[in-house]
Amino acid sequence: MNQRKRIIAGNWKMNKTREEATELSSALVSALSGQEDLPEIVLCPPFTSLQTVVEKTSLSPVAVGAQNMDWRDSGAFTGEISPVMLLDLGVKYVIIGHSERRQFFGETNTTVNQKLKAAIKHSLVPIVCLGETLDERENNLTDAVVSRQIAAALADIDATLLAELIIAYEPVWAIGTGKVCDAKEANRVASVIRKTVSNLYTGVDIGLSVPILYGGSVNPKNVDEQLAQPDIDGSLVGGASLKPEEFLPIIQAAQNRARLAASGT
Ligand code: 13P
């Protein structure tokens, strides 16, 4: 049975003012208070609300992540935020290589690799995003694309540094479209990613131990089938993470899965 961590992360993207962030994070914290068998829960608000959400979630089971960062520590890089600044705020996780960063902001496999190295250097937990476009899927390139992306992300990184790595498989065509990837297919791609990671390293099976999340139109109705898949350990949720009435049932689905696993069902 799979002993990997279960993780439910909410990527708020460019949404929520500080006041709205306070309201959403406070509602989640109070609903989750005293609950057991929770997955790791990570909220990723925009930079402007990181401090607010860190404060609202302190002493709760909820952790905070950033949606992006620069790989350098400081310097003349107007508009960028460094890992040092994130740590200073109490941020623990960082999303790296989200497809919207790749699509709209020039993120490449090379910058993903640089950011992953920086996250490791600063002990931020990286959530590295991968996924194919619709065109790539229709041309049967899915496996080749995700394999290339993960190999490039991990280039020149020693296996001993990857204990905290999290991977998110997010097919681009499933993001924000309501077109969720079939759970069995998402599981198949997750297993391709695992095999690719395993083949990159000898001696240690990182591929087997790395948590892999699925992202792309996750909602309370489809999440359970995803979490039931053997190679999927959690969710990276966009739109449905913006409302407690949608995000809480997603967390609860992971909680139910943990209980089923504990009872050996
Ligand atoms: P949606 O859940 O809105 O499809 O977004 C997924 C995503 O991009 C999470 O990072």
Side-chain angles (χ1 to χ4, degrees), residues 8 16 25-26 43 53 55 62 64 82 88 91 132 135 160 168 171 181 200 206 231 239 246:
I8 301 290
K16 307 283 181 194
S25 47
S26 305
L43 304 183
V53 177
E55 282 166 13
V62 178
V64 180
S82 84
D88 185 43
V91 167
E132 80 287 359
D135 193 49
T160 56
C181 182
L200 292 172
I206 310 267
D231 283 308
E246 292 187 22

Side-chain angles (χ1 to χ4, degrees), residues 11 13 95 98 100 170 174-177 215-218 236-240:
N11 175 6
K13 309 193 178 182
I95 297 175
H98 190 280
E100 287 151 15
E170 298 207 307
I175 295 179
T177 57
S217 297
V218 174
L236 182 52
V237 187

Side-chain angles (χ1 to χ4, degrees), residues 81-122:
I81 302 287
S82 84
V84 177
M85 295 165 183
L86 297 180
L87 286 174
D88 185 43
L89 288 177
V91 167
K92 297 217 161 56
Y93 291 75
V94 62
I95 297 175
I96 295 175
H98 190 280
S99 65
E100 287 151 15
R101 303 290 324 163
R102 296 179 191 251
Q103 227 177 324
F104 306 127
F105 302 101
E107 188 90 81
T108 63
N109 283 339
T110 306
T111 56
V112 169
N113 176 247
Q114 287 166 308
K115 291 180 182 190
L116 178 53
K117 286 175 177 161
I120 292 168
K121 174 178 155 201
H122 292 284

